[in-house]
Amino acid sequence: MKHERVIVVTGGEVTPACIQEITTTDFVIGVDGGAQTCLDFGIIPHLAVGDFDTAGEASLKELKRHKCVIESLNQAKNVTDTHYALTKVVEMHPYSCLLLGALGGTRYDHLLANLGLLEGMEEAGIATTILHPNNRIRLLSGPGAFTFTRSKYVYFSIQPITPKVEGLTTKGLRYPLIDECLYRGETRGVSNEWLSDVAQVILKSGKCFIIESKDE
């Protein structure tokens, strides 16, 4: 069975609101401690991956009791557990992927690594979103025109990850851009605000994060 969307639950902060995004048609992958998070919320992941240094033996036993497929990884490896999970997603060829728990926790190295993984997913043709209680992050690659629907988030930021993003036009935001250029290392695209219920971003070249956010 081909799944349209895969949910990857990692070991960072995951709230009930995040878990409510999961539907019965999604394929769920629990990554190490994220597999225990799934169990804590009453969700049995279809697949659990990781070295399970965080989840521990008790979680593994419970996953096995629920007949979850488990792929145990060595602690000494060349990719993170989350990176490995996303290689499994690419093999499945879903239309989209949602990453939960990828921004929380105390490890900023993992936070930056997870943001970087969006680029590989975009290159694989899988629309991938990182969802956090106060942030939703996606990566855009030009040329293209992209539409966003307003939800609970207040701010709409554009952060270049290539040296520059060219031919950038925005519609439906309080401070519009018209065929302009944003540069990595500058902050002009940060903290724009919604003006209408639908926003559009058009870019001719470059890659950027779209970060929708709100305060606590």
Side-chain angles (χ1 to χ4, degrees), residues 23-199:
T23 71
T24 56
T25 60
D26 294 324
F27 186 93
V28 180
I29 301 177
V31 181
D32 200 334
Q36 181 60 52
T37 299
C38 290
L39 295 174
D40 291 343
F41 281 104
I43 295 172
I44 310 304
H46 299 89
L47 172 66
V49 304
D51 54 29
F52 299 103
D53 59 342
T54 301
E57 285 298 323
S59 292
L60 280 173
K61 288 181 180 179
E62 186 172 0
L63 290 166
K64 291 175 181 176
R65 183 170 63 84
H66 288 292
K67 303 188 185 310
C68 173
V69 177
I70 298 172
E71 290 195 26
S72 295
L73 308 176
N74 291 325
Q75 288 191 3
K77 53 187 180 297
N78 293 327
V79 298
T80 64
D81 291 343
T82 301
H83 190 172
Y84 180 83
L86 291 184
T87 66
K88 305 302 290 186
V89 176
V90 172
E91 290 175 5
M92 296 174 64
H93 303 292
Y95 174 73
S96 65
C97 175
L98 182 64
L99 265 171
L100 304 180
L103 296 183
T106 59
R107 293 286 301 274
Y108 282 15
D109 52 349
H110 280 281
L111 182 154
L112 291 173
N114 291 338
L115 288 172
L117 290 173
L118 291 181
E119 189 167 9
M121 296 298 285
E122 190 271 336
E123 291 172 355
I126 301 171
T128 303
T129 300
I130 292 178
L131 185 66
H132 175 267
N134 295 318
N135 301 273
R136 180 167 58 189
I137 303 175
R138 287 169 273 191
L139 185 146
L140 304 187
S141 181
F146 309 88
T147 300
F148 301 86
T149 302
R150 185 175 189 172
S151 59
K152 63 182 180 180
Y153 301 102
V154 177
Y155 304 107
F156 189 103
S157 297
I158 302 173
Q159 187 66 48
I161 62 171
T162 49
K164 59 183 176 180
V165 175
E166 297 182 284
L168 186 61
T169 296
T170 62
K171 301 177 182 179
L173 300 176
R174 185 173 301 278
Y175 309 106
L177 298 171
I178 301 175
D179 196 23
E180 298 188 45
C181 186
L182 294 186
Y183 296 89
R184 186 177 63 203
E186 297 185 357
T187 58
R188 187 180 177 200
V190 175
S191 292
N192 208 331
E193 298 178 16
W194 290 85
L195 193 60
S196 62
D197 290 335
V198 176

